[in-house]
Amino acid sequence: MYKVTHNADLTRLTTFGITAGCGCLVEYESLEDLRLLAEEQPGLIQGEVFNLGGGSNVLFLDGWYAGTVLHCVGEDVSELAPEAISDTGEVFVGLRVQAGAKLDNLVDYSTHRGLWGLENLAAIPGCVGGAAVQNVGAYGAEFARCVTKVRAFDIDTRHPVELSVGQCEYGYRHSFFKTAAAARLAICEVEVRLSAKAAPRLGYSGIREALGDVTDDAATPALIAAAVREVRSAKLPDPAEVGSAGSYFKNPVVEAPYFRKVEDVWRAFCGRCGTAYVPVQHHTTDDGRVKLSAAWLIDKAGCKPFSVGGASLWPAQPLVIVNRDGHATAADILSLQNRVQDRVEEAFAIRLEPEVVRLSAAMR
Ligand code: EPU
């Protein structure tokens, strides 16, 4: 079954706590629902369409989107037939998950069955479809590492499509679904493959400490998920209390020669502004490029106290722009975004790229 609402209020479906609405909202559960929609009401999906997941990574710039918003509400999780034991003796369990399932519910479901793979992604807002688009990541894990297949409905051809994980072209906070070529695909189902074999990832600062007396050998997926929840709650705003879209900016990655320029610009900025110089925090990626911490850049550039109207930066994690008292407008958020980008660019010659999707009333 699908449900159509004209002139729908989307505020409750987004996490910024800023009023938003759309010309038409279609809530669907499955591929079959979208096939029926295309047959019965094709006019609804002929024009502008936006796929809304958990609404935890989107900002409606004008408070309104004129087109049709497709929103998956199917939340079923089913176990696939058991997979053969691999060469390495590893037993895998496949799960088929409808795109509207909350990612955190999937983490709960899998960790309480002792399955490994999703435990470090505990407490991330949003749904499984969004996680597959966005390749959400935290504490040394990325969703893409567990994905095997994504099923979507192509609203132009009106056919279901199935993408292997390779076809999803996953990278840091990136996938094929973020490209223009995939704009007409509505994700309906994701298959993930989890392992019964222990593979704790405890390297990220804070996780080991939060596990307390639990030794690495005794750590279970559920215990790690609980530790991740504890670390997150200390650093990040509680989505039930403070509106935000999580990390607002991506961590920048630059070519190695450009990083030398970044350091020079930063040294000169410190000299000009009387800021104490410290080397730029970074690490080298597998492909030889240099990844920087946006939070560190924002902090060191002196942006933490910035605020515009009701929008400010979360003190413990300035990568997150929050709707501090519930009265921020999209214009406040955008204006704060620009202020941060300008200051970081002045200090480091890097223009931070927002990871939050910003949607205008009409996209084209
Ligand atoms: N830092 C500062 N000042 C601060 C806070 C942090 O300099 O006030 C520096 C610290 O040096 C810290 C570094 O920032 O080492 C990194 O901070 P954090 O560990 O929180 O990780 P992140 O790279 O800023 C990413 C994800 C988060 C995810 C964390 C944990 C992105 C854009 N964000 O943040 O994802 O929870 O790692 O793994 O990659 C999200 O996407 O909504 C999100 C919260």
Side-chain angles (χ1 to χ4, degrees):
M1 283 284 285
Y2 65 87
K3 181 179 159 201
V4 176
T5 311
H6 292 281
N7 299 322
D9 183 3
L10 297 178
T11 315
R12 70 181 169 88
L13 296 181
T14 57
T15 59
F16 247 129
I18 296 176
T19 307
C22 66
C24 177
L25 170 67
V26 176
E27 291 167 286
Y28 66 94
E29 287 185 16
S30 62
L31 282 165
E32 176 58 14
D33 289 347
L34 290 181
R35 198 192 58 71
L36 274 177
L37 174 78
E39 197 177 295
E40 295 170 352
Q41 306 197 53
L44 292 182
I45 48 175
Q46 262 155 14
E48 290 274 336
V49 166
F50 177 70
N51 292 299
L52 181 69
S56 55
N57 196 44
V58 60
L59 178 64
F60 285 82
L61 293 176
D62 305 307
W64 180 256
Y65 174 70
T68 294
V69 167
L70 297 177
H71 177 60
C72 184
V73 294
E75 299 195 33
D76 286 354
V77 179
S78 50
E79 214 161 294
L80 300 169
E83 274 193 45
I85 294 175
S86 72
D87 312 344
T88 55
E90 196 165 353
V91 179
F92 293 107
V93 174
L95 300 175
R96 177 178 299 152
V97 190
Q98 285 187 308
K102 310 270 176 302
L103 176 62
D104 201 34
N105 288 348
L106 179 63
V107 173
D108 253 350
Y109 178 101
S110 60
T111 55
H112 284 108
R113 278 166 178 72
L115 296 173
W116 293 85
L118 295 171
E119 59 284 354
N120 291 37
L121 304 181
I124 295 181
C127 63
V128 166
V133 171
Q134 168 76 355
N135 188 16
V136 300
Y139 308 107
E142 283 188 344
F143 188 63
R145 286 195 55 179
C146 296
V147 172
T148 49
K149 276 179 198 154
V150 176
R151 290 194 191 85
F153 186 77
D154 184 327
I155 57 181
D156 285 338
T157 65
R158 301 184 188 181
H159 286 299
V161 288
E162 182 176 288
L163 287 90
S164 66
V165 64
Q167 289 171 312
C168 295
E169 296 173 10
Y170 284 120
Y172 166 65
R173 292 295 198 274
H174 181 77
S175 75
F176 170 69
F177 304 106
K178 288 183 130 183
T179 66
R184 307 290 284 173
L185 295 183
I187 295 183
C188 296
E189 265 175 27
V190 179
E191 280 188 17
V192 294
R193 193 176 80 147
L194 304 171
S195 174
K197 186 175 158 202
R201 277 160 300 182
L202 307 176
Y204 207 95
S205 133
I207 307 294
R208 174 92 281 321
E209 292 78 353
L211 277 170
D213 294 340
V214 179
T215 61
D216 287 14
D217 287 349
T220 62
L223 286 170
I224 294 173
V228 167
R229 287 178 204 288
E230 193 181 317
V231 172
R232 280 185 81 90
S233 66
K235 278 193 191 173
L236 295 164
D238 177 351
E241 283 173 16
V242 185
S244 85
S247 296
Y248 195 92
F249 300 101
K250 290 188 205 170
N251 286 327
V253 182
V254 300
E255 299 299 327
Y258 193 82
F259 180 63
R260 287 196 282 280
K261 175 174 171 176
V262 171
E263 289 186 300
D264 291 345
V265 170
W266 169 234
R267 202 174 281 108
F269 178 88
C270 290
R272 251 189 349 268
C273 303
T275 306
Y277 173 80
V278 279
V280 177
Q281 194 184 92
H282 68 283
H283 76 267
T284 305
T285 60
D286 293 345
D287 60 6
R289 293 189 299 162
V290 179
K291 189 166 179 183
L292 299 102
S293 156
W296 189 93
L297 300 175
I298 293 168
D299 188 356
K300 290 294 177 286
C303 304
K304 266 192 171 183
F306 285 6
S307 71
V308 177
S312 55
L313 303 178
W314 188 248
Q317 174 43 294
L319 191 50
V320 178
I321 295 184
V322 294
N323 177 2
R324 196 183 46 241
D325 51 8
H327 299 300
T329 62
D332 292 343
I333 307 280
L334 197 60
S335 170
L336 182 55
Q337 170 202 309
N338 288 326
R339 276 194 72 189
V340 171
Q341 284 174 311
D342 289 349
R343 174 64 76 85
V344 168
E345 192 168 8
E346 188 192 341
F348 298 101
I350 288 178
R351 188 133 190 108
L352 292 178
E353 196 187 322
E355 99 161 291
V356 169
V357 175
R358 288 137 302 135
L359 203 63
S360 308
M363 289 299 282
R364 284 185 208 131

